[in-house]
Amino acid sequence: MTRLVTLAAGLLALVPSLTTASLAQNAPPPTNAPSPAEANPLPTTTVPDTSKSGPDPAAPSPQQVPIPRPAQAGAAQAVTPPPSSLPTLVTVPGEPNDVDEVTLPAKPVAILAGETKWEEARANLRKAYKTIGETLAKLNLKPAGRPIALFTKTEDDGFQYEAMIPIEAAPAQGTEGGEVKFGSNPSGKALRFKHSGSYEEIDGTYETLIAYLDAKEIAVQDRFLEEYVTDLGEGADDKLDINIYALPKEPAKEPAK
C-alpha cells in the first residue's frame, strides 16, 4: 500500500473494472442409476484473477462508489471493529464518497512523531498509539478523542508522521512525557472525505479525493490528516471508518501599500 506523495491537483482518477464469470454444468447420468448428487452436481464458479489485468478495482472514479475486490476462495470475511465512545474532531458524521466542508477545532493533543515504510504503516501507527496511551495512563491524563495521524512528509518508500490523541486538558507546563510531546492538532477550515473499507484500499479513496480537488481547482497543503473513527485492527480485511482531512492553502496576502 502506497500513499500519494502530495495532494496536488492534476492526477486522473483510476477507472475501476470488475468482471465476473460463472460456469455451470450438469454431468450426464451414467447408464446405472445415479445418486441425486451425481445426476445434478453443484455449479462451479471461476473468480477472475484481477491482479493480471486492468487497474486496481478498489480505486474509484469521482462518480463511482469504491468496488470491493471479489472474494477469493478461503478469504477471511471483513471484520468491522466495534464503535468507540470517544468523539471525532467534527461530531457530525460524514457520508461515504462525499466531501464535506468542515471546521476543525483546536484541541490539546499528545503527540508522538515517527517515520515508517508504507508496508509497515498500520503496524507502526498502532504501536505509536499504544505508546501514547501508556504515557497518558502514567500521567493520569485521559483521551478525549479518536486517534489522528498528521502526514508531514511523504516519499516513494515511506512517510513521516505525527501520531496524536486528543486529551481532556493540556498537562501542566514542564510535564515530562518522554518521547511523547504535547501540543494542538491542526485547526481551521478543512475538507473531509470518509473512507470505509480496509486500510489497504485507502489509495482508491485518495484518488477520488484528488480528482475532486482537481475538478474544483482547490489548492491544498502538502500534508493531510487521517482520523481513525474505528481502531486500526491487526486484520488486513478489517472494515475501517477513516476521516481524511485535506487542508486548503491560505490565500496569499496582498502586500501592504
Side-chain angles (χ1 to χ4, degrees), residues 31-93:
T31 53
N32 295 330
S35 66
E38 292 173 335
N40 298 285
L42 294 175
T44 59
T45 302
T46 302
V47 178
D49 185 357
T50 57
S51 65
K52 296 181 180 179
S53 63
D56 189 345
S61 67
Q63 295 80 25
Q64 293 176 305
V65 177
I67 303 174
R69 297 177 183 273
Q72 301 296 323
Q77 296 296 319
V79 176
T80 302
S84 170
S85 59
L86 294 173
T88 54
L89 289 173
V90 179
T91 55
V92 178

Side-chain angles (χ1 to χ4, degrees), residues 4-242:
L4 300 169
V5 175
T6 65
L7 290 177
L11 294 181
L12 297 177
L14 299 177
V15 179
S17 62
L18 184 65
T19 60
T20 57
S22 60
L23 298 175
Q25 296 179 345
N26 290 327
T31 53
N32 295 330
S35 66
E38 292 173 335
N40 298 285
L42 294 175
T44 59
T45 302
T46 302
V47 178
D49 185 357
T50 57
S51 65
K52 296 181 180 179
S53 63
D56 189 345
S61 67
Q63 295 80 25
Q64 293 176 305
V65 177
I67 303 174
R69 297 177 183 273
Q72 301 296 323
Q77 296 296 319
V79 176
T80 302
S84 170
S85 59
L86 294 173
T88 54
L89 289 173
V90 179
T91 55
V92 178
E95 294 294 332
N97 223 44
D98 192 16
V99 177
D100 300 312
E101 295 184 6
V102 299
T103 300
L104 298 177
K107 293 186 176 182
V109 295
I111 307 168
L112 179 59
E115 58 183 321
T116 181
K117 300 295 184 183
W118 290 112
E119 60 271 17
E120 300 169 351
R122 179 170 53 176
N124 285 331
L125 285 172
R126 290 177 65 249
K127 290 178 183 177
Y129 294 127
K130 184 175 183 292
T131 299
I132 295 175
E134 292 171 347
T135 301
L136 294 180
K138 290 178 182 178
L139 297 176
N140 246 351
L141 298 172
K142 294 183 179 180
R146 300 301 303 156
I148 310 164
L150 175 64
F151 295 81
T152 56
K153 183 179 180 181
T154 55
E155 299 175 339
D156 290 340
D157 60 345
F159 62 92
Q160 296 176 12
Y161 64 86
E162 291 181 356
M164 305 179 184
I165 292 182
I167 53 181
E168 291 183 343
Q173 190 172 2
T175 299
E176 291 293 333
E179 57 185 342
V180 175
K181 308 301 179 183
F182 297 96
S184 181
N185 63 277
S187 59
K189 299 294 183 182
L191 295 172
R192 177 180 62 181
F193 201 95
K194 182 178 179 180
H195 169 74
S196 294
S198 73
Y199 195 66
E200 285 66 26
E201 295 172 331
I202 200 170
D203 281 346
T205 304
Y206 273 95
E207 290 288 352
T208 304
L209 175 56
I210 289 175
Y212 173 88
L213 297 173
D214 183 34
K216 298 291 184 179
E217 298 183 347
I218 300 173
V220 296
Q221 301 176 29
D222 293 340
R223 59 179 190 157
F224 52 93
L225 282 172
E226 286 182 6
E227 180 182 38
Y228 306 107
V229 184
T230 50
D231 292 333
L232 287 173
E234 297 182 11
D237 295 310
D238 287 352
K239 183 177 180 181
L240 306 174
D241 284 333
I242 300 174

